[in-house]
Amino acid sequence: MTTAPRALPSAVPAPAAPTAGAAVRLRPVPLGAARTTGGFWAERQRANRSRAVRTGYERLGSAGNLQNLRIAAGTATGEVRGPVFMDSDVHKWLEAAAWEYGREPSEELLGRIREVTALVAAAQAPDGYLDSVVQVRDGGERYRDLPWSHEHYCAGHLFQAAVAQSRCTGETALLDVAVRLADHLVATFGPGGREEVDGHPIVEMGLVELYRETGERRYLDLARWFVDARGRGTTARGGDPTYFSDRVPVREATTAEGHAVRAVYLAAGAADVAAEDGDAELLAALVRQWEHVVATKTHVTGGLGSRWDQERFGDEYELTPDRAYAETCAAIGSVQWAQRMLLATGEARYGDLVERTLYNAFLPGVSLGGDEYFYVNPLQVRSGAHADEERSAVHGRRGWFDCACCPPNVMRTLSSLDAYLATSDGGGVQLHQFTACRVGADLPGGRVELAVSTDYPWDGTVRVRVEESAAGEWELAVRVPGWARGATATAAGRRLTPEPGEHLRVRRAWAVGEELVLVLPLDVRVVEADPRVDAVRGCVAVERGPLVYCAEQADVSAPVAVDDLRVDVATLRGARAEHRPGLLGGVTVLRTTARRSARHDGGAPLYRPAADAPAADAEGEGFGIELVPYHAWANRGAGAMRVWLPRA
Amino acid sequence: MTTAPRALPSAVPAPAAPTAGAAVRLRPVPLGAARTTGGFWAERQRANRSRAVRTGYERLGSAGNLQNLRIAAGTATGEVRGPVFMDSDVHKWLEAAAWEYGREPSEELLGRIREVTALVAAAQAPDGYLDSVVQVRDGGERYRDLPWSHEHYCAGHLFQAAVAQSRCTGETALLDVAVRLADHLVATFGPGGREEVDGHPIVEMGLVELYRETGERRYLDLARWFVDARGRGTTARGGDPTYFSDRVPVREATTAEGHAVRAVYLAAGAADVAAEDGDAELLAALVRQWEHVVATKTHVTGGLGSRWDQERFGDEYELTPDRAYAETCAAIGSVQWAQRMLLATGEARYGDLVERTLYNAFLPGVSLGGDEYFYVNPLQVRSGAHADEERSAVHGRRGWFDCACCPPNVMRTLSSLDAYLATSDGGGVQLHQFTACRVGADLPGGRVELAVSTDYPWDGTVRVRVEESAAGEWELAVRVPGWARGATATAAGRRLTPEPGEHLRVRRAWAVGEELVLVLPLDVRVVEADPRVDAVRGCVAVERGPLVYCAEQADVSAPVAVDDLRVDVATLRGARAEHRPGLLGGVTVLRTTARRSARHDGGAPLYRPAADAPAADAEGEGFGIELVPYHAWANRGAGAMRVWLPRA
């Protein structure tokens, strides 16, 4: 066994690393070739490594996940604990730990990885089956309740973890377990076998990754079979097929519906299948679904899911801020889906959504400290909101949950975040996300190495310096976000005209030391929603760069509840950006003024006669408020907060 | 056995019939002394009797409720079916049938009542315990999971049914069962016994009714004990106590919270206890809670409950139209609570809420035909809304539900509706709800008999004629709704000045043939919500008399989706009321015009830059629309509908 990362031609599985035969426009750069070097995301990664991955191991111990594996292995006795998908938390942690090891080897981490991997391996049944809860509970009957048992879901996470471990540590202990389990699945399900699919997708993504790692086509075939088996109501077994994305076949669907995480995981897996098979019909269906979700079912933060009830997407335009579900896992799944669409199509709009979602829907799910989590990410919390259910944000972030899907999902996402930064297409390098980093790629003319320096998202200047260059011409492409009207750029000193929503492409014989400098205007942007979004009628949201801002009670200078703030669009647009190194780990706040609702009259009845013309709803003098990035909210207590602010 | 109704000094249990010792301002008139004679509610009662109660019996058969009882009795074999509270549907149906029998004896109905009563009696255990599902499932262990088992809940409904049967048929078969069960509860729970309370209140109301019927104080004592045991987290057993109204003792609570039906049933039972014991502290707590619910947590329809997730009240001002839960059973519980508060205090505002809730939150729960039901009553359905969960209104009303609490609850409410019409206080008679009816009462000076004629709610004139009068002076009081600004009245030809929100009281030596005529102005009223109700910002609702109106797609003359209607307040206020006998069983529609949203531009992104000043949001010419009473919606298909209409 070796403890050094293998140098692999393809890269990390989240996002996908399509095989040589796949029909994709862009490919991930090799493992380790894109690395954050400092700044915003590197800080988050540091906290993730030093706090979250460390405490995650402890929480897998105290919550019973590791003990469940021991019980299944027969090395411990007792009842298994927790929900049916307890193993998946272990697999996600193993995946996160593997990426972390890949980023920076550590004997301590490797010891933990080996220890947990051994527990997983010991629990596996002789024929390859593995799910500790099912193995122990209810007499060990397998696939008895596949709509709810998450047996394939756990397998999918195991496959992803195994691929990460193989690539990052060079050790194959977990990959051996994964291959045995995958072969068991191939023998049991699909053509000639059981014609059922798991209630919760992800095995599709996992199987494609396993195919990419092992070259065994049967795994890809089973993934495609699972994608195509869906949409015939078989999963729901007479229940509501919508919930399981089982109402309409993936190739025919026009939207994502039902349980949000299930829906986007399925779409991401289908995108993997479409890419590997060059399946244009499937890809076109996914483009259509993605466009519909972005146009009608996406919160301004990028968050997905409007209903607490069964964690669902709602109807079109059903995007209520206070009851937004916007599960952290749904944001992660959305990033995975969009990144696969970016690879398949090369289109910048997918990178735009990855950016919006990472900053404003994924990142709010974890505390600045790195190891406390939101499951649900509302866009509004009222003063005096009551903390009831465990998942309610009103409690503040939590160290773990009874249903702990989100915490280790956050860990593996932060530890594999480098994979979202850049791609290569043979003819050049594409930079998609902006943070201080180094990016390398092997082009036909040789090795290219780039150094990116930026204080993004606080500053809009992104400087890409060629540190090593290939022979002849090659193209350096940089995503220009759709919001970046007025962006400017120079390449080797020459002025260019970036087009928002496209990649800025500069093809030349780049010399070492030359720079592409992109300047994104970080003006304060005030946005409103389509009027069909009833829940935010008369309200605006504030953005700057890639960040959505919010008002928290702590930043209101007057004795006025956040609920009663009234804003003026022109005033907001003139808000002063001020970087505050001491606040919330260092954030740029927006200083502006607001007024108080004129109709905040406690004694009036809840419903009252309406005047002919709507009265202006503000009284008194303006007072100072500061808006903070939404992702940083609830790090000073989880009090009243609003993303959408009513106009005066 | 006799089949003639007993003449009882006290009246029906829904609302309460306090004992002679109770501290109440008003008392129900005797059983049968208030009777609808025609018009709006009489038609609903006819459909309820001829359709709902009849098909209800059949559905109890096909859904397995009756078979469950046979299995528990040992006269049939097999598995019991359905949720744990299946017996309660039987009890509710028995209650409805008893009231119907009391309103008009029928041998067929009595035969059914006896048949079903015999099934219930046969299922009862020798020691009085009764819950067919628990008796058969899981080895018959009792009270193993009281937070969820609904064992006391089923008992409470049985008590109410037994009292109704005793009063209306004179037969005591069900009362004997109830007494045996109640004595078992007294022996098992309370001081010196098990210190647990059921997760779902109603046993409190049921026990107080049983006390009123039997005079056995131990039932009242146990009811009080259950009320006071709540709020200590014991029900929740470490889970979320809010859901069970178990977070704060009833006497200390300042609001109703958690599961809406549980909360209002508990409050109604506590109001019964407060009345019987003259418990001013408890009553004051209930007044405080009721005021807070009305001021912050009540939909404009009177509906309660904002969250599908666990059927809960939301936070203050969390009143989203599209995701309003507004369960039909919560409306029924709210009516029961408010009516008990009316009896206790005599205040007209409670009658106002009963009226609003009966017309606009209870009645939408049943089809015009009388035997199809809504479980959930949203205030908005979007075009293209997806019908997913069984309870979704997008499916339209249904004949029954897997969880069938609402249908038989509707039946018993319509069959006991007469009880909400009028009260007496010794010094006179109070008329609270307006419909063609006769009301009798025994006053110190003798018998009083009133005939009420009105076409309410379509017409605002209410004519109360004295048909029989007591000697000397007595007071005739009529509730003047809070919305009725400009109401006029005459008493025996003399002009009076009614005060909205109060009772109009006329004390005189009423002669036979004299009339009190109240004229309520049925102007179209356009209302808006407190600005803290974020979900309806910029919208208005339309009311006329006691009715809330809505727009349904069928009544829009232009090819414009209901979602895109834009209205002008002055135009709405000038809407022309037109009675349409052929429409929806005969309703008064409001004819007006609307315009179309100017920003309905399909191609624009979901979020877009906001202009400095909000643009007027209407384009093109006005076109005709008709608004229909909300209670009548979804009788022509359950398509797009809105109660809250955005301003242009």
Side-chain angles (χ1 to χ4, degrees), chain B residues 131-157:
Chain B
D131 186 312
S132 71
V133 174
V134 173
Q135 284 168 274
V136 175
R137 267 191 204 154
D138 299 331
E141 190 189 342
R142 304 167 178 183
Y143 310 122
R144 194 176 55 120
D145 187 24
L146 207 49
W148 295 104
S149 67
H150 292 70
E151 287 159 282
H152 294 176
Y153 171 84
C154 290
H157 276 297

PDB file of all heavy atoms in Angstrom, chain B residues 131-157:
ATOM      1  N   ASP B 131     -61.112   0.544  22.570  1.00  0.00           N
ATOM      2  CA  ASP B 131     -60.416   1.121  21.420  1.00  0.00           C
ATOM      3  C   ASP B 131     -60.079  -0.062  20.527  1.00  0.00           C
ATOM      4  O   ASP B 131     -59.119  -0.791  20.801  1.00  0.00           O
ATOM      5  CB  ASP B 131     -59.151   1.877  21.833  1.00  0.00           C
ATOM      6  CG  ASP B 131     -58.520   2.587  20.636  1.00  0.00           C
ATOM      7  OD1 ASP B 131     -58.350   1.938  19.569  1.00  0.00           O
ATOM      8  OD2 ASP B 131     -58.201   3.780  20.748  1.00  0.00           O
ATOM      9  N   SER B 132     -60.874  -0.264  19.511  1.00  0.00           N
ATOM     10  CA  SER B 132     -60.790  -1.522  18.755  1.00  0.00           C
ATOM     11  C   SER B 132     -59.399  -1.748  18.177  1.00  0.00           C
ATOM     12  O   SER B 132     -58.898  -2.872  18.180  1.00  0.00           O
ATOM     13  CB  SER B 132     -61.840  -1.548  17.649  1.00  0.00           C
ATOM     14  OG  SER B 132     -61.506  -0.647  16.617  1.00  0.00           O
ATOM     15  N   VAL B 133     -58.759  -0.673  17.696  1.00  0.00           N
ATOM     16  CA  VAL B 133     -57.454  -0.861  17.060  1.00  0.00           C
ATOM     17  C   VAL B 133     -56.430  -1.324  18.099  1.00  0.00           C
ATOM     18  O   VAL B 133     -55.692  -2.288  17.882  1.00  0.00           O
ATOM     19  CB  VAL B 133     -56.999   0.430  16.345  1.00  0.00           C
ATOM     20  CG1 VAL B 133     -55.581   0.273  15.816  1.00  0.00           C
ATOM     21  CG2 VAL B 133     -57.961   0.765  15.204  1.00  0.00           C
ATOM     22  N   VAL B 134     -56.406  -0.663  19.236  1.00  0.00           N
ATOM     23  CA  VAL B 134     -55.447  -1.051  20.280  1.00  0.00           C
ATOM     24  C   VAL B 134     -55.771  -2.433  20.820  1.00  0.00           C
ATOM     25  O   VAL B 134     -54.873  -3.240  21.079  1.00  0.00           O
ATOM     26  CB  VAL B 134     -55.432   0.002  21.409  1.00  0.00           C
ATOM     27  CG1 VAL B 134     -54.577  -0.479  22.581  1.00  0.00           C
ATOM     28  CG2 VAL B 134     -54.937   1.343  20.883  1.00  0.00           C
ATOM     29  N   GLN B 135     -57.051  -2.730  20.981  1.00  0.00           N
ATOM     30  CA  GLN B 135     -57.434  -4.039  21.528  1.00  0.00           C
ATOM     31  C   GLN B 135     -56.935  -5.193  20.662  1.00  0.00           C
ATOM     32  O   GLN B 135     -56.634  -6.265  21.161  1.00  0.00           O
ATOM     33  CB  GLN B 135     -58.968  -4.116  21.669  1.00  0.00           C
ATOM     34  CG  GLN B 135     -59.485  -3.334  22.867  1.00  0.00           C
ATOM     35  CD  GLN B 135     -60.992  -3.159  22.844  1.00  0.00           C
ATOM     36  OE1 GLN B 135     -61.501  -2.225  22.230  1.00  0.00           O
ATOM     37  NE2 GLN B 135     -61.716  -4.058  23.499  1.00  0.00           N
ATOM     38  N   VAL B 136     -56.837  -4.940  19.351  1.00  0.00           N
ATOM     39  CA  VAL B 136     -56.475  -6.029  18.447  1.00  0.00           C
ATOM     40  C   VAL B 136     -54.990  -6.001  18.098  1.00  0.00           C
ATOM     41  O   VAL B 136     -54.326  -7.024  18.089  1.00  0.00           O
ATOM     42  CB  VAL B 136     -57.335  -5.963  17.166  1.00  0.00           C
ATOM     43  CG1 VAL B 136     -56.889  -7.027  16.166  1.00  0.00           C
ATOM     44  CG2 VAL B 136     -58.810  -6.119  17.520  1.00  0.00           C
ATOM     45  N   ARG B 137     -54.467  -4.827  17.822  1.00  0.00           N
ATOM     46  CA  ARG B 137     -53.067  -4.729  17.378  1.00  0.00           C
ATOM     47  C   ARG B 137     -52.088  -4.847  18.541  1.00  0.00           C
ATOM     48  O   ARG B 137     -52.405  -4.483  19.662  1.00  0.00           O
ATOM     49  CB  ARG B 137     -52.829  -3.360  16.721  1.00  0.00           C
ATOM     50  CG  ARG B 137     -53.030  -3.375  15.225  1.00  0.00           C
ATOM     51  CD  ARG B 137     -52.517  -2.059  14.637  1.00  0.00           C
ATOM     52  NE  ARG B 137     -53.200  -1.832  13.353  1.00  0.00           N
ATOM     53  CZ  ARG B 137     -53.400  -0.647  12.813  1.00  0.00           C
ATOM     54  NH1 ARG B 137     -52.978   0.439  13.415  1.00  0.00           N
ATOM     55  NH2 ARG B 137     -54.029  -0.535  11.663  1.00  0.00           N
ATOM     56  N   ASP B 138     -50.888  -5.266  18.215  1.00  0.00           N
ATOM     57  CA  ASP B 138     -49.766  -5.227  19.155  1.00  0.00           C
ATOM     58  C   ASP B 138     -50.087  -5.876  20.490  1.00  0.00           C
ATOM     59  O   ASP B 138     -49.712  -5.372  21.554  1.00  0.00           O
ATOM     60  CB  ASP B 138     -49.320  -3.770  19.389  1.00  0.00           C
ATOM     61  CG  ASP B 138     -48.851  -3.136  18.082  1.00  0.00           C
ATOM     62  OD1 ASP B 138     -48.354  -3.876  17.215  1.00  0.00           O
ATOM     63  OD2 ASP B 138     -48.986  -1.911  17.950  1.00  0.00           O
ATOM     64  N   GLY B 139     -50.851  -6.952  20.421  1.00  0.00           N
ATOM     65  CA  GLY B 139     -51.115  -7.688  21.657  1.00  0.00           C
ATOM     66  C   GLY B 139     -52.077  -6.999  22.602  1.00  0.00           C
ATOM     67  O   GLY B 139     -52.246  -7.420  23.739  1.00  0.00           O
ATOM     68  N   GLY B 140     -52.701  -5.944  22.150  1.00  0.00           N
ATOM     69  CA  GLY B 140     -53.712  -5.296  22.975  1.00  0.00           C
ATOM     70  C   GLY B 140     -53.185  -4.492  24.140  1.00  0.00           C
ATOM     71  O   GLY B 140     -53.938  -4.155  25.055  1.00  0.00           O
ATOM     72  N   GLU B 141     -51.895  -4.178  24.126  1.00  0.00           N
ATOM     73  CA  GLU B 141     -51.358  -3.397  25.253  1.00  0.00           C
ATOM     74  C   GLU B 141     -51.911  -1.975  25.245  1.00  0.00           C
ATOM     75  O   GLU B 141     -51.772  -1.252  24.264  1.00  0.00           O
ATOM     76  CB  GLU B 141     -49.824  -3.372  25.186  1.00  0.00           C
ATOM     77  CG  GLU B 141     -49.212  -2.792  26.455  1.00  0.00           C
ATOM     78  CD  GLU B 141     -47.704  -2.550  26.323  1.00  0.00           C
ATOM     79  OE1 GLU B 141     -47.096  -3.135  25.404  1.00  0.00           O
ATOM     80  OE2 GLU B 141     -47.166  -1.777  27.116  1.00  0.00           O
ATOM     81  N   ARG B 142     -52.510  -1.575  26.341  1.00  0.00           N
ATOM     82  CA  ARG B 142     -53.163  -0.269  26.426  1.00  0.00           C
ATOM     83  C   ARG B 142     -52.199   0.833  26.827  1.00  0.00           C
ATOM     84  O   ARG B 142     -51.287   0.629  27.602  1.00  0.00           O
ATOM     85  CB  ARG B 142     -54.268  -0.325  27.485  1.00  0.00           C
ATOM     86  CG  ARG B 142     -55.280  -1.409  27.222  1.00  0.00           C
ATOM     87  CD  ARG B 142     -56.141  -1.598  28.461  1.00  0.00           C
ATOM     88  NE  ARG B 142     -57.178  -2.606  28.226  1.00  0.00           N
ATOM     89  CZ  ARG B 142     -58.093  -2.921  29.122  1.00  0.00           C
ATOM     90  NH1 ARG B 142     -58.089  -2.310  30.310  1.00  0.00           N
ATOM     91  NH2 ARG B 142     -58.994  -3.839  28.852  1.00  0.00           N
ATOM     92  N   TYR B 143     -52.487   2.005  26.300  1.00  0.00           N
ATOM     93  CA  TYR B 143     -51.777   3.224  26.733  1.00  0.00           C
ATOM     94  C   TYR B 143     -50.259   3.096  26.624  1.00  0.00           C
ATOM     95  O   TYR B 143     -49.508   3.648  27.412  1.00  0.00           O
ATOM     96  CB  TYR B 143     -52.171   3.585  28.181  1.00  0.00           C
ATOM     97  CG  TYR B 143     -53.672   3.605  28.370  1.00  0.00           C
ATOM     98  CD1 TYR B 143     -54.307   2.798  29.315  1.00  0.00           C
ATOM     99  CD2 TYR B 143     -54.474   4.423  27.579  1.00  0.00           C
ATOM    100  CE1 TYR B 143     -55.683   2.802  29.477  1.00  0.00           C
ATOM    101  CE2 TYR B 143     -55.870   4.431  27.733  1.00  0.00           C
ATOM    102  CZ  TYR B 143     -56.453   3.621  28.686  1.00  0.00           C
ATOM    103  OH  TYR B 143     -57.819   3.623  28.832  1.00  0.00           O
ATOM    104  N   ARG B 144     -49.844   2.313  25.641  1.00  0.00           N
ATOM    105  CA  ARG B 144     -48.417   2.113  25.448  1.00  0.00           C
ATOM    106  C   ARG B 144     -47.798   3.332  24.782  1.00  0.00           C
ATOM    107  O   ARG B 144     -46.635   3.662  24.975  1.00  0.00           O
ATOM    108  CB  ARG B 144     -48.222   0.880  24.537  1.00  0.00           C
ATOM    109  CG  ARG B 144     -46.828   0.333  24.483  1.00  0.00           C
ATOM    110  CD  ARG B 144     -46.818  -0.931  23.642  1.00  0.00           C
ATOM    111  NE  ARG B 144     -47.368  -0.688  22.322  1.00  0.00           N
ATOM    112  CZ  ARG B 144     -46.710  -0.861  21.176  1.00  0.00           C
ATOM    113  NH1 ARG B 144     -45.484  -1.328  21.199  1.00  0.00           N
ATOM    114  NH2 ARG B 144     -47.268  -0.616  20.027  1.00  0.00           N
ATOM    115  N   ASP B 145     -48.594   4.001  23.950  1.00  0.00           N
ATOM    116  CA  ASP B 145     -48.066   5.135  23.178  1.00  0.00           C
ATOM    117  C   ASP B 145     -49.096   6.253  23.174  1.00  0.00           C
ATOM    118  O   ASP B 145     -49.546   6.715  22.128  1.00  0.00           O
ATOM    119  CB  ASP B 145     -47.765   4.660  21.747  1.00  0.00           C
ATOM    120  CG  ASP B 145     -47.048   5.742  20.926  1.00  0.00           C
ATOM    121  OD1 ASP B 145     -46.397   6.618  21.547  1.00  0.00           O
ATOM    122  OD2 ASP B 145     -47.169   5.719  19.695  1.00  0.00           O
ATOM    123  N   LEU B 146     -49.454   6.697  24.364  1.00  0.00           N
ATOM    124  CA  LEU B 146     -50.545   7.662  24.504  1.00  0.00           C
ATOM    125  C   LEU B 146     -50.337   8.958  23.714  1.00  0.00           C
ATOM    126  O   LEU B 146     -51.311   9.565  23.252  1.00  0.00           O
ATOM    127  CB  LEU B 146     -50.779   7.954  25.995  1.00  0.00           C
ATOM    128  CG  LEU B 146     -52.182   8.390  26.407  1.00  0.00           C
ATOM    129  CD1 LEU B 146     -53.266   7.489  25.859  1.00  0.00           C
ATOM    130  CD2 LEU B 146     -52.281   8.454  27.922  1.00  0.00           C
ATOM    131  N   PRO B 147     -49.086   9.417  23.497  1.00  0.00           N
ATOM    132  CA  PRO B 147     -48.939  10.618  22.657  1.00  0.00           C
ATOM    133  C   PRO B 147     -49.558  10.432  21.272  1.00  0.00           C
ATOM    134  O   PRO B 147     -50.034  11.393  20.677  1.00  0.00           O
ATOM    135  CB  PRO B 147     -47.422  10.792  22.567  1.00  0.00           C
ATOM    136  CG  PRO B 147     -46.879  10.137  23.788  1.00  0.00           C
ATOM    137  CD  PRO B 147     -47.803   8.995  24.085  1.00  0.00           C
ATOM    138  N   TRP B 148     -49.545   9.226  20.748  1.00  0.00           N
ATOM    139  CA  TRP B 148     -50.005   9.014  19.371  1.00  0.00           C
ATOM    140  C   TRP B 148     -51.183   8.066  19.251  1.00  0.00           C
ATOM    141  O   TRP B 148     -51.757   7.931  18.175  1.00  0.00           O
ATOM    142  CB  TRP B 148     -48.841   8.479  18.523  1.00  0.00           C
ATOM    143  CG  TRP B 148     -47.734   9.472  18.394  1.00  0.00           C
ATOM    144  CD1 TRP B 148     -46.545   9.448  19.050  1.00  0.00           C
ATOM    145  CD2 TRP B 148     -47.739  10.673  17.605  1.00  0.00           C
ATOM    146  NE1 TRP B 148     -45.800  10.559  18.709  1.00  0.00           N
ATOM    147  CE2 TRP B 148     -46.504  11.315  17.826  1.00  0.00           C
ATOM    148  CE3 TRP B 148     -48.669  11.244  16.744  1.00  0.00           C
ATOM    149  CZ2 TRP B 148     -46.171  12.530  17.215  1.00  0.00           C
ATOM    150  CZ3 TRP B 148     -48.341  12.452  16.128  1.00  0.00           C
ATOM    151  CH2 TRP B 148     -47.105  13.077  16.369  1.00  0.00           C
ATOM    152  N   SER B 149     -51.552   7.375  20.312  1.00  0.00           N
ATOM    153  CA  SER B 149     -52.538   6.295  20.160  1.00  0.00           C
ATOM    154  C   SER B 149     -53.979   6.788  20.093  1.00  0.00           C
ATOM    155  O   SER B 149     -54.861   6.048  19.698  1.00  0.00           O
ATOM    156  CB  SER B 149     -52.405   5.308  21.317  1.00  0.00           C
ATOM    157  OG  SER B 149     -52.780   5.942  22.528  1.00  0.00           O
ATOM    158  N   HIS B 150     -54.228   8.029  20.516  1.00  0.00           N
ATOM    159  CA  HIS B 150     -55.581   8.592  20.420  1.00  0.00           C
ATOM    160  C   HIS B 150     -56.602   7.783  21.225  1.00  0.00           C
ATOM    161  O   HIS B 150     -57.789   7.814  20.907  1.00  0.00           O
ATOM    162  CB  HIS B 150     -56.049   8.672  18.955  1.00  0.00           C
ATOM    163  CG  HIS B 150     -55.301   9.661  18.114  1.00  0.00           C
ATOM    164  ND1 HIS B 150     -53.994   9.485  17.736  1.00  0.00           N
ATOM    165  CD2 HIS B 150     -55.687  10.828  17.550  1.00  0.00           C
ATOM    166  CE1 HIS B 150     -53.599  10.505  16.988  1.00  0.00           C
ATOM    167  NE2 HIS B 150     -54.602  11.336  16.866  1.00  0.00           N
ATOM    168  N   GLU B 151     -56.184   7.083  22.258  1.00  0.00           N
ATOM    169  CA  GLU B 151     -57.165   6.292  23.021  1.00  0.00           C
ATOM    170  C   GLU B 151     -58.155   7.200  23.767  1.00  0.00           C
ATOM    171  O   GLU B 151     -59.351   6.940  23.766  1.00  0.00           O
ATOM    172  CB  GLU B 151     -56.426   5.348  23.984  1.00  0.00           C
ATOM    173  CG  GLU B 151     -55.761   4.180  23.257  1.00  0.00           C
ATOM    174  CD  GLU B 151     -54.645   3.542  24.056  1.00  0.00           C
ATOM    175  OE1 GLU B 151     -53.531   4.121  24.096  1.00  0.00           O
ATOM    176  OE2 GLU B 151     -54.870   2.463  24.645  1.00  0.00           O
ATOM    177  N   HIS B 152     -57.647   8.252  24.391  1.00  0.00           N
ATOM    178  CA  HIS B 152     -58.560   9.185  25.064  1.00  0.00           C
ATOM    179  C   HIS B 152     -59.339  10.017  24.041  1.00  0.00           C
ATOM    180  O   HIS B 152     -60.466  10.432  24.306  1.00  0.00           O
ATOM    181  CB  HIS B 152     -57.785  10.129  25.987  1.00  0.00           C
ATOM    182  CG  HIS B 152     -57.148   9.431  27.145  1.00  0.00           C
ATOM    183  ND1 HIS B 152     -56.335  10.083  28.041  1.00  0.00           N
ATOM    184  CD2 HIS B 152     -57.193   8.147  27.562  1.00  0.00           C
ATOM    185  CE1 HIS B 152     -55.906   9.221  28.955  1.00  0.00           C
ATOM    186  NE2 HIS B 152     -56.402   8.036  28.671  1.00  0.00           N
ATOM    187  N   TYR B 153     -58.714  10.263  22.916  1.00  0.00           N
ATOM    188  CA  TYR B 153     -59.386  11.009  21.841  1.00  0.00           C
ATOM    189  C   TYR B 153     -60.622  10.254  21.389  1.00  0.00           C
ATOM    190  O   TYR B 153     -61.717  10.823  21.286  1.00  0.00           O
ATOM    191  CB  TYR B 153     -58.396  11.202  20.704  1.00  0.00           C
ATOM    192  CG  TYR B 153     -58.941  11.761  19.402  1.00  0.00           C
ATOM    193  CD1 TYR B 153     -59.093  13.132  19.226  1.00  0.00           C
ATOM    194  CD2 TYR B 153     -59.253  10.913  18.337  1.00  0.00           C
ATOM    195  CE1 TYR B 153     -59.557  13.639  18.009  1.00  0.00           C
ATOM    196  CE2 TYR B 153     -59.715  11.411  17.131  1.00  0.00           C
ATOM    197  CZ  TYR B 153     -59.860  12.775  16.957  1.00  0.00           C
ATOM    198  OH  TYR B 153     -60.312  13.266  15.764  1.00  0.00           O
ATOM    199  N   CYS B 154     -60.476   8.977  21.158  1.00  0.00           N
ATOM    200  CA  CYS B 154     -61.638   8.171  20.766  1.00  0.00           C
ATOM    201  C   CYS B 154     -62.683   8.176  21.881  1.00  0.00           C
ATOM    202  O   CYS B 154     -63.888   8.254  21.622  1.00  0.00           O
ATOM    203  CB  CYS B 154     -61.207   6.744  20.432  1.00  0.00           C
ATOM    204  SG  CYS B 154     -60.257   6.618  18.897  1.00  0.00           S
ATOM    205  N   ALA B 155     -62.223   8.121  23.125  1.00  0.00           N
ATOM    206  CA  ALA B 155     -63.156   8.146  24.258  1.00  0.00           C
ATOM    207  C   ALA B 155     -63.940   9.451  24.278  1.00  0.00           C
ATOM    208  O   ALA B 155     -65.159   9.462  24.484  1.00  0.00           O
ATOM    209  CB  ALA B 155     -62.384   7.960  25.567  1.00  0.00           C
ATOM    210  N   GLY B 156     -63.241  10.556  24.059  1.00  0.00           N
ATOM    211  CA  GLY B 156     -63.917  11.860  24.067  1.00  0.00           C
ATOM    212  C   GLY B 156     -65.023  11.930  23.028  1.00  0.00           C
ATOM    213  O   GLY B 156     -66.128  12.425  23.304  1.00  0.00           O
ATOM    214  N   HIS B 157     -64.734  11.449  21.838  1.00  0.00           N
ATOM    215  CA  HIS B 157     -65.770  11.450  20.801  1.00  0.00           C
ATOM    216  C   HIS B 157     -66.920  10.511  21.177  1.00  0.00           C
ATOM    217  O   HIS B 157     -68.086  10.806  20.902  1.00  0.00           O
ATOM    218  CB  HIS B 157     -65.168  11.070  19.447  1.00  0.00           C
ATOM    219  CG  HIS B 157     -64.551  12.240  18.736  1.00  0.00           C
ATOM    220  ND1 HIS B 157     -65.294  13.324  18.329  1.00  0.00           N
ATOM    221  CD2 HIS B 157     -63.274  12.497  18.368  1.00  0.00           C
ATOM    222  CE1 HIS B 157     -64.499  14.197  17.730  1.00  0.00           C
ATOM    223  NE2 HIS B 157     -63.261  13.727  17.750  1.00  0.00           N
TER     224      HIS B 157
END
